[in-house]
C-alpha cells in the first residue's frame, strides 16, 4: 500500500488509507487508520484525489505530536496535588474508623474524588472488574473489612484517575508509568522551576528587540533568578502561595517588593503570550504575581522613610566640603543641580553642544532623560553663567561634567553619585538625603517664589497629568522660563568655608 490506495472486497471504488501511528492514536479516539472513499473506479483519478486527504491527515498527526512535545511537564504537578488530596481524605477516613470520637465527623471530599466515583464503576471492562473487587471486599466483616474497603477505594480511585489523565493528556507509556509512580508516592514529584535559564534568555532577546533599557532587563532578570532558586530549594510549584512565601523570605520594604512583583508580572505576561509550552502548562492558572497585600507603611514611619530635601544652608555646606576635599567636579555638579533642578544623570550627559540660545537666552538643552517629559530646555541661571562658560571651554570629550565612570550601562553619573553619597555622609546627612534631594529643594524654592506649578513641572521635567498642558500646550517661552528659574535664591555663604578656601 505504498500509494495508500485500496479497494474493498467486491467494490470497484478506490479508497485512500493512512495508518495512524500508535503513539498518537489516543488523539484520534483510538482509531488505527484514516480511510476515505475517493468516489472513482479509475486508478489514475484516485492517485490525484488521494493527495489532499493524505496531506491533511499527516498534518493532523504532526499537530498531535507537537501538542505532546509542547505539553512539557505541566501535567505532573496537578497529578501530585490530586494524589496528595486523595491520600489525605482516605487517611482521615481510616483514622475515623479507629477513633470513636471522630466517627461522626464528616470528611469533605475534593471535587476530583466526587467526579471519579462516577467513573470508578462505569460499564467498561475495567469498571466491571473494579466492581467485582469491591463486592469481594464488601463481604468482609468488622473493622478489618472497613479498613480493607477504604484501602481498596483509595487504590481504585487512583487507578481510575490515572486512566483519565492518561487519556486526556495522551501520555506515552513512559509518561504513564511516571504518573503511576507519582500517584503512589506524590513526593516522588519534585517540582522544577519553570523559570529556566533558556526561558530567561529568550525573554531577554525579546525585550532587547523592544529597546528595553539594559539595566532594567538585568535587574528584573536577577529578581526572577532569585525566585527560580527559591522554587527549586523549597520544591514549590509556581503559584500564588509560593510567590507569597518567597516575598516573605526576602525581608524587604514594600516598595522594593513591588519591584519584585513587577518583574514577575512582566515575565508572566510575556510567557503567556509568546511561550507555547508555558501557555499550555499554565492555561488554567491565575497570574501568581497579582493581588498580593504588601505591608503598608503609614504615618510617621512613612514620613521617615521618604527622601528629604536639603535647605539652602545644607547645600552650601556640601558645596564647601566638596571644595575642601579637592573634589571640584562634584562641587560644580552640586551647583548645576541647585540652579536647574535637573537629575544627576541628565547633568552628566550634557555636552558643550547642548548649551544653546533659543530667543537669545543661554539654556541647557536636555536631550537625554528617563522620561519623555524630561526632554526639555532649561535657561541657565545667572549664578551659573561663569561656571558654564568655564565648563564649555574645558570640556573633555564634549561633556561638561568630566567622569571616568565605568558603569556597564553607560551611566556617567555612577561614580559621582557614589562620591556625593560619601560626602553627604561625612557631613552628617542620613540615607533619606541624596543628590536627588537637591531636586526637591529646587521645586520647593520655586513654589515659594510663586512660580506657577505648570511652569515648575516644565522646568524640572515632570508631566502635569493634564491633557491640556501635556498634549496641547507648547509650553512657556524662553523668557518666561528664565524669569522663573532666576527666582531660585543664591546659596548663602558659609564663613567657615570662606576662611578655609582663603587659607
Amino acid at each position: 500500500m505504498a500509494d495508500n490506495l485500496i479497494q474493498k472486497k467486491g467494490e470497484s471504488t478506490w479508497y485512500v488509507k493512512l495508518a495512524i501511528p500508535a503513539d498518537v492514536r489516543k488523539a484520534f479516539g483510538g482509531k488505527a487508520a484514516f480511510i476515505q472513499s475517493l468516489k472513482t473506479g479509475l486508478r489514475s483519478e484516485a492517485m490525484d484525489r488521494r493527495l489532499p486527504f493524505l496531506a491533511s491527515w499527516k498534518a493532523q498527526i504532526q499537530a498531535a505530536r507537537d501538542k505532546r512535545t509542547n505539553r512539557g511537564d505541566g501535567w505532573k504537578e496537578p497529578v501530585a496535588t490530586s494524589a496528595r488530596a486523595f491520600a489525605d481524605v482516605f487517611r482521615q477516613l481510616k483514622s475515623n474508623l479507629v477513633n470513636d470520637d471522630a466517627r461522626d465527623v464528616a470528611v469533605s471530599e475534593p471535587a476530583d474524588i466526587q467526579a471519579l466515583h462516577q467513573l470508578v464503576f462505569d460499564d467498561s471492562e475495567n469498571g466491571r472488574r473494579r466492581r467485582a473487587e469491591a463486592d469481594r471486599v464488601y463481604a468482609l466483616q468488622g473493622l478489618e473489612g472497613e479498613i480493607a474497603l477504604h484501602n481498596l477505594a483509595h487504590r481504585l480511585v487512583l487507578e481510575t484517575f490515572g486512566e483519565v489523565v492518561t487519556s486526556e493528556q495522551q501520555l506515552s507509556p513512559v509518561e504513564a508509568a511516571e504518573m503511576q509512580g507519582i500517584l503512589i508516592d506524590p513526593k516522588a514529584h519534585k517540582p522544577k522551576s519553570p523559570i529556566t535559564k533558556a526561558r530567561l534568555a529568550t525573554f531577554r532577546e525579546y525585550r532587547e528587540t523592544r529597546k528595553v533599557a539594559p539595566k532594567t532587563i538585568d535587574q528584573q532578570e536577577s529578581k526572577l533568578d532569585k525566585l527560580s532558586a527559591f522554587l527549586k530549594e523549597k520544591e514549590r510549584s509556581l503559584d500564588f502561595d509560593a510567590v507569597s512565601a518567597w516575598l516573605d523570605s526576602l525581608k524587604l520594604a514594600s516598595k522594593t517588593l513591588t519591584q519584585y512583583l513587577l518583574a514577575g508580572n512582566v515575565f508572566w505576561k510575556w510567557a503567556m503570550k509568546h511561550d507555547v509550552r508555558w501557555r499550555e502548562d499554565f492555561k488554567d492558572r491565575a497570574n501568581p504575581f497579582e493581588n498580593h497585600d504588601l505591608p503598608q507603611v503609614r504615618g510617621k514611619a512613612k514620613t521617615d522613610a521618604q527622601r528629604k530635601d536639603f535647605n539652602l544652608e545644607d547645600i552650601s555646606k556640601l558645596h564647601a566640603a566638596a571644595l575642601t576635599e579637592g573634589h571640584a567636579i562634584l562641587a560644580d555638579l552640586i551647583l548645576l543641580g541647585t540652579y536647574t533642578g535637573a537629575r544627576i544623570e541628565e547633568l552628566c550627559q550634557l555636552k558643550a553642544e547642548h548649551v544653546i540660545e533659543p530667543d537669545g537666552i543661554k539654556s541647557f538643552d536636555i536631550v537625554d532623560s528617563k522620561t519623555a517629559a524630561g526632554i526639555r530646555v532649561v535657561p541657565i541661571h545667572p549664578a551659573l553663567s561663569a561656571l558654564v562658560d568655564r565648563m564649555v571651554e574645558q570640556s573633555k570629550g564634549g561633556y561638561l561634567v568630566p567622569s571616568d565612570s565605568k558603569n556597564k550601562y553607560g551611566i556617567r553619573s555612577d561614580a559621582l553619585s557614589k562620591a556625593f553619597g560619601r560626602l553627604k555622609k561625612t557631613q552628617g546627612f542620613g540615607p533619606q538625603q541624596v543628590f536627588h534631594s537637591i531636586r526637591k529643594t529646587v521645586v520647593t524654592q520655586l513654589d515659594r517664589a510663586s512660580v506657577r506649578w505648570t511652569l515648575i513641572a516644565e522646568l524640572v521635567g515632570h508631566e502635569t497629568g493634564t491633557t491640556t498642558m501635556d498634549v496641547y500646550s507648547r509650553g512657556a517661552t524662553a523668557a518666561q522660563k528664565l524669569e522663573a528659574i532666576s527666582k531660585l535664591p543664591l546659596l548663602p555663604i558659609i564663613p567657615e568655608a570662606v576662611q578655609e578656601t582663603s587659607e
Side-chain angles (χ1 to χ4, degrees):
M1 196 178 62
D3 53 17
N4 298 93
L5 293 177
I6 64 168
Q7 287 180 315
K8 294 184 179 180
K9 188 174 181 180
E11 292 186 23
S12 60
T13 300
W14 287 99
Y15 290 79
V16 60
K17 181 178 181 180
L18 179 67
I20 299 176
D23 63 318
V24 294
R25 284 178 186 170
K26 287 180 180 177
F28 301 100
K31 290 196 303 185
F34 295 111
I35 187 168
Q36 175 65 43
S37 170
L38 298 175
K39 299 180 180 177
T40 181
L42 297 176
R43 183 178 178 82
S44 58
E45 287 186 5
M47 289 290 287
D48 291 334
R49 293 184 182 184
R50 72 194 169 112
L51 296 178
F53 294 106
L54 290 174
S56 175
W57 293 337
K58 289 178 180 179
Q60 292 177 51
I61 291 171
Q62 186 59 49
R65 281 180 168 151
D66 288 344
K67 182 177 180 180
R68 286 183 53 184
T69 300
N70 291 328
R71 182 185 60 235
D73 292 337
W75 58 271
K76 293 181 182 178
E77 181 59 26
V79 167
T81 300
S82 295
R84 286 191 289 269
F86 297 151
D88 289 343
V89 168
F90 286 107
R91 187 182 303 111
Q92 184 62 53
L93 288 171
K94 286 187 286 186
S95 175
N96 290 353
L97 291 175
V98 296
N99 184 352
D100 292 336
D101 294 334
R103 275 180 171 270
D104 296 328
V105 177
V107 179
S108 60
E109 297 183 347
D112 288 334
I113 290 182
Q114 296 173 14
L116 282 171
H117 280 167
Q118 301 175 17
L119 299 174
V120 173
F121 303 121
D122 63 11
D123 197 37
S124 66
E125 181 179 348
N126 283 335
R128 291 191 294 272
R129 172 183 55 79
R130 288 191 282 262
R131 170 58 65 186
E133 285 190 69
D135 288 342
R136 286 194 296 272
V137 175
Y138 284 144
L140 298 176
Q141 300 297 316
L143 180 60
E144 180 182 355
E146 291 186 78
I147 292 177
L149 182 61
H150 284 314
N151 286 336
L152 174 65
H154 188 188
R155 180 169 65 78
L156 296 185
V157 163
L158 292 180
E159 179 185 312
T160 308
F161 179 72
E163 291 174 2
V164 171
V165 172
T166 300
S167 176
E168 289 183 349
Q169 296 291 334
Q170 301 169 28
L171 300 184
S172 68
V174 172
E175 290 174 321
E178 187 174 2
M179 180 196 61
Q180 290 301 323
I182 295 174
L183 289 174
I184 294 171
D185 180 12
K187 293 181 180 178
H189 170 61
K190 298 185 183 300
K192 297 178 182 178
S193 170
I195 306 174
T196 63
K197 294 293 184 184
R199 271 202 174 101
L200 288 177
T202 305
F203 181 48
R204 170 180 286 272
E205 290 175 3
Y206 171 83
R207 303 191 81 201
E208 287 174 343
T209 64
R210 295 301 188 274
K211 307 301 181 184
V212 178
K215 184 177 181 181
T216 299
I217 293 175
D218 285 351
Q219 289 177 336
Q220 293 189 340
E221 185 173 315
S222 174
K223 293 174 174 61
L224 292 167
D225 271 330
K226 291 178 182 177
L227 172 57
S228 183
F230 176 86
L231 295 176
K232 291 176 184 175
E233 179 188 353
K234 303 299 183 181
E235 297 182 358
R236 302 280 300 259
S237 56
L238 179 58
D239 55 26
F240 180 91
D241 291 338
V243 172
S244 181
W246 171 57
L247 294 176
D248 290 342
S249 73
L250 295 174
K251 309 295 184 185
L252 296 172
S254 294
K255 185 176 180 180
T256 305
L257 293 178
T258 300
Q259 296 302 313
Y260 278 77
L261 287 174
L262 174 62
N265 258 307
V266 172
F267 177 79
W268 177 273
K269 291 175 181 178
W270 165 82
M272 290 299 285
K273 186 174 182 180
H274 298 284
D275 190 310
V276 176
R277 178 170 291 181
W278 183 285
R279 189 163 57 244
E280 182 67 24
D281 288 349
F282 292 93
K283 62 183 177 182
D284 298 321
R285 311 280 187 90
N287 184 337
F289 300 99
E290 292 182 343
N291 302 317
H292 287 271
D293 293 325
L294 300 178
Q296 298 297 312
V297 181
R298 303 180 186 279
K300 184 176 184 300
K302 184 175 182 179
T303 301
D304 292 343
Q306 291 179 338
R307 284 178 176 171
K308 299 177 180 177
D309 62 351
F310 293 110
N311 60 42
L312 297 178
E313 289 74 16
D314 292 337
I315 297 177
S316 286
K317 180 180 177 181
L318 289 165
H319 178 255
L323 290 174
T324 300
E325 294 183 12
H327 208 321
I329 295 174
L330 184 57
D332 290 345
L333 189 60
I334 290 172
L335 292 179
L336 289 176
T338 301
Y339 294 113
T340 63
R343 301 174 177 90
I344 187 170
E345 182 61 19
E346 292 174 343
L347 295 171
C348 288
Q349 290 291 344
L350 287 173
K351 295 183 177 181
E353 65 194 61
H354 296 144
V355 178
I356 60 175
E357 295 191 19
D359 299 331
I361 295 174
K362 188 177 289 187
S363 307
F364 288 126
D365 187 14
I366 299 177
V367 299
D368 191 344
S369 179
K370 64 183 290 186
T371 66
I375 307 302
R376 63 200 187 279
V377 174
V378 180
I380 294 174
H381 190 286
L384 291 178
S385 183
L387 171 61
V388 173
D389 288 343
R390 170 172 61 79
M391 297 180 86
V392 169
E393 183 180 346
Q394 298 176 352
S395 65
K396 296 179 180 179
Y399 290 103
L400 298 185
V401 180
S403 173
D404 57 359
S405 178
K406 295 180 174 57
N407 183 282
K408 67 177 182 177
Y409 304 110
I411 299 176
R412 298 190 73 252
S413 62
D414 189 53
L416 288 165
S417 179
K418 292 175 181 175
F420 182 85
R422 293 189 293 270
L423 176 72
K424 60 100 177 180
K425 187 174 182 180
T426 63
Q427 298 304 307
F429 296 101
Q432 281 73 45
Q433 289 170 300
V434 295
F435 191 92
H436 203 79
S437 298
I438 299 176
R439 186 168 162 83
K440 298 188 70 169
T441 304
V442 170
V443 172
T444 298
Q445 294 300 323
L446 291 173
D447 187 29
R448 292 177 178 177
S450 299
V451 177
R452 70 176 189 273
W453 68 272
T454 54
L455 184 48
I456 295 175
E458 188 175 348
L459 289 170
V460 299
H462 283 160
E463 291 185 351
T464 66
T466 65
T467 302
T468 302
M469 299 305 298
D470 294 336
V471 177
Y472 290 100
S473 176
R474 293 179 61 189
T477 65
Q480 288 174 316
K481 289 191 284 188
L482 176 60
E483 180 184 2
I485 205 76
S486 297
K487 291 183 179 180
L488 288 173
L490 299 178
L491 291 178
I493 297 175
I494 299 178
E496 294 83 351
V498 173
Q499 182 178 357
E500 292 177 4
T501 304
S502 62
E503 293 176 354

